[in-house]
Amino acid sequence: MRPARALIDLAALRHNYRLARELGGRKALAVVKADAYGHGAVRCARALEPEADGFGVACIEEALELREAGIRAPILLLEGFFEAAELALIEAHDLWFVVQAHWQIDAIERARPAKPFTVWLKLDSGMHRLGLAAQDYRAALHRLQAMSHVGDVVAMTHFARADELGCDRTEQQLALFNQVCAEASLPTSLENSPALLGWPEVHDAWSRPGLMLYGASPFAGAHPVADRLRPVMTVESGIISVRDLGVGEPVGYGARFVTRRPSRIGVVAMGYADGYPQFVPNGTPVTIDGRPGDLVGRVSMDMLTVDLTDHPAAGLGSRIELWGAQVRVHDLAARCETSAYQLLCALKRVPRSYVGE
Ligand SMILES: *Cc1c(COP(=O)(O)O)cnc(C)c1O
């Protein structure tokens, strides 16, 4: 069997969830959209369900997958419904949803659910993606509150730049949210992972951690709170071929690496078709049987190459970690101009196995 695999540490996931709850609002909605950022939504939700206050997903398809797997905790649709017809399924499966636009309020008005809807009314406090403008928010809230089939309402917003510590945009968004929502005395929800980890001045009833649950930091450098996270996913594979090369020999497509000394090159069963980024520089960190090493040459679809010259004990079958417990995914992301979010979500083809149940 191909040695590529992703190990998912569910004990680390629970540790990170507890940290989110300790840092943030009274309750934490575990965001498991996009198949739990590549970690497997059903397995992650099952591992968290005994303690999680609820789950956040991007769309009803993702919510139904969790319900079909027997998850009974509250589930919030973070973008609300995409068409009014979804309201029947929302009712049938007892889902919560975000209201982010006027057309959704019109659709809610026409619905006649047996049990009142729980809605999270989103303010566009400056990200300018989803949510009602500040001048429309109170009227929309009053409209919803006047409907007998709307029950609990949570006031929410989303930060655009909370991962940039010291950027005053987050404070501006917070000030606008407080100004618009202050008198409404609703439960609030503002914090994503960077806000939870980096902005202790933000308080809310419901935080919405995503990335941090998976043990990755949203920040560029070291950070005292983010450094308490435990990585959940370790992607590893094995060496399937070794060759000795003289000086000046090219390795792989495009001769992106040329040996400068007599070298031992190991070929690893992992490529961009598995979600490993194709264009990473020579010297991108990996571990070779647990010791720090270098990726060299261009990443191919199914294989990549590492330099074994300084690893004389390594050879066929040696274990190569691409990211995980030792090579932190946010450090790898910083090396190849992408984000930990993107790397985790991109994982495919690699079978996942779970530990720490
Ligand atoms: C994805 C998402 C989150 C989680 O964000 P992280 O940065 O991964 O913690 C929170 N809120 C909303 C509305 C989201 O779409």
Side-chain angles (χ1 to χ4, degrees):
M1 262 199 351
R2 192 168 182 254
R5 62 177 190 156
L7 272 168
I8 311 290
D9 182 350
L10 297 171
L13 178 74
R14 285 191 296 270
H15 164 89
N16 298 333
Y17 179 80
R18 286 173 199 151
L19 179 61
R21 207 159 41 194
E22 179 192 320
L23 295 171
R26 289 189 295 276
K27 296 179 176 178
L29 192 84
V31 177
V32 294
K33 63 188 177 190
D35 204 22
Y37 294 45
H39 294 67
V42 167
R43 295 297 294 266
C44 289
R46 277 193 188 135
L48 289 175
E49 192 174 28
E51 53 197 298
D53 303 305
F55 296 101
V57 296
C59 57
I60 196 151
E61 290 83 352
E62 293 180 345
L64 296 184
E65 187 194 3
L66 296 183
R67 284 284 184 257
E68 275 153 25
I71 301 294
R72 312 190 69 87
I75 300 176
L76 175 69
L77 306 178
L78 291 165
E79 293 162 37
F81 50 89
F82 298 87
E83 48 184 345
E86 286 172 33
L87 282 167
L89 281 171
I90 284 172
E91 182 189 353
H93 295 277
D94 202 12
L95 305 174
W96 297 354
F97 56 94
V98 167
V99 172
Q100 49 89 8
H102 291 287
W103 71 265
Q104 292 176 321
I105 302 177
D106 299 337
I108 296 165
E109 198 154 50
R110 291 190 296 269
R112 290 288 170 269
K115 191 182 147 200
F117 290 131
T118 294
V119 304
W120 290 39
L121 184 60
K122 186 164 191 171
L123 171 71
D124 175 8
S125 59
M127 179 146 179
H128 300 330
R129 193 178 58 176
L130 297 183
L132 299 176
Q135 66 270 19
D136 300 336
Y137 193 88
R138 301 301 292 267
L141 175 62
H142 293 147
R143 243 185 107 192
L144 286 168
Q145 287 176 324
M147 299 177 199
S148 58
H149 59 284
V150 171
D152 294 334
V153 181
V154 175
M156 77 178 285
T157 196
H158 195 57
F159 293 125
R161 300 180 65 180
D163 57 330
E164 298 169 58
L165 298 170
C167 169
D168 61 3
R169 193 66 185 157
T170 299
E171 278 149 17
Q172 290 166 15
Q173 287 195 257
L174 179 61
L176 183 62
F177 180 84
N178 287 338
Q179 183 196 321
V180 173
C181 300
E183 296 149 49
S185 65
L186 299 171
T188 56
S189 176
L190 299 98
E191 295 170 286
N192 54 1
S193 298
L196 274 164
L197 294 164
W199 296 84
E201 58 270 57
V202 180
H203 301 287
D204 53 12
W206 281 93
S207 64
R208 306 187 306 271
L211 185 73
M212 68 174 287
L213 296 179
Y214 309 103
S217 170
F219 305 125
H223 184 275
V225 186
D227 291 348
R228 292 169 62 193
L229 295 168
R230 280 169 52 187
V232 175
M233 180 193 290
T234 294
V235 175
E236 60 182 37
S237 192
I239 293 192
I240 58 169
S241 171
V242 178
R243 60 216 333 95
D244 292 297
L245 298 174
V247 180
E249 295 292 337
V251 175
Y253 287 119
R256 263 277 312 286
F257 176 74
V258 179
T259 56
R260 287 206 222 126
R261 56 177 178 170
S263 299
R264 269 179 90 227
I265 300 295
V267 180
V268 182
M270 173 69 54
Y272 62 80
D274 301 299
Y276 194 87
Q278 184 178 11
F279 300 105
V280 301
N282 289 322
T284 294
V286 297
T287 65
I288 299 169
D289 287 330
R291 290 180 51 219
D294 292 345
L295 182 151
V296 292
R298 198 157 111 186
V299 174
S300 342
M301 188 180 289
D302 313 310
M303 286 173 272
L304 56 80
T305 37
V306 296
D307 189 350
L308 299 181
T309 315
D310 299 326
H311 300 262
L316 277 183
S318 281
R319 177 184 164 277
I320 308 298
E321 179 181 306
L322 286 315
W323 71 71
Q326 291 183 287
V327 179
R328 300 301 296 267
V329 66
H330 44 267
D331 293 332
L332 174 64
R335 298 285 201 115
C336 46
E337 289 175 54
T338 182
S339 68
Y341 296 88
Q342 197 271 333
L343 288 177
L344 294 172
C345 290
L347 186 80
K348 53 184 185 289
R349 187 167 72 179
V350 177
R352 290 183 294 230
S353 51
Y354 292 83
V355 295
E357 231 115 342

